[in-house]
Each structure stands twice: as structure tokens, then as C-alpha cells.
Amino acid sequence: MCGETASTELKFIEPQSQYDYDLLDEVAKSEDLNSILTMLLLDDTLSDSLRRKALKQLRAK
């Protein structure tokens, strides 16, 4: 699968489809990855688990 090149910073996100892999690849290439991870923290529709993982990733930078 071509989507397996996603940044190690996004490995905590489990893609469910080829579209998800493609989207993760685009996000990983973004120069604004920290802002994207911050937006994940503010999204109430995401699980607490995913938000904790995003926060952990931001702190690791």
C-alpha cells in the first residue's frame, strides 16, 4: 500500500481505508504538522484516546 509512508509522528492514527492512508501522507508532508495535531486536540468528535495520543506526540517534539 502506498499509504505506508506516513510519518512516524502519525503512527498512532489507525487508518481504515486507502483514503485515510492518502490523507495521512498529505498531513505528514505538511510543514504545519504541529498545528494539525493541535486541531486534533480541540476536536470534540474524536475519542479521548486519540486526543491523548496527539498531545503525547506534541510533547515529544
Side-chain angles (χ1 to χ4, degrees):
M1 235 180 255
C2 66
E4 293 178 16
T5 62
S7 169
T8 57
E9 295 158 338
L10 300 174
K11 292 294 184 193
F12 66 90
I13 299 174
E14 297 176 18
Q16 303 296 313
S17 68
Q18 184 59 43
Y19 174 77
D20 293 350
Y21 281 105
D22 294 343
L23 182 59
L24 285 174
D25 281 343
E26 285 300 312
V27 169
K29 293 175 192 171
S30 171
E31 293 179 14
D32 207 13
L33 184 57
N34 284 350
S35 293
I36 293 168
L37 289 172
T38 301
M39 285 189 291
L40 287 176
L41 294 176
L42 301 174
D43 188 340
D44 325 357
T45 64
L46 298 178
S47 69
D48 289 338
S49 173
L50 184 58
R51 286 197 300 244
R52 279 192 301 273
K53 290 175 183 178
L55 180 59
K56 181 180 176 183
Q57 187 60 45
L58 278 169
R59 288 181 176 161
K61 290 189 144 257

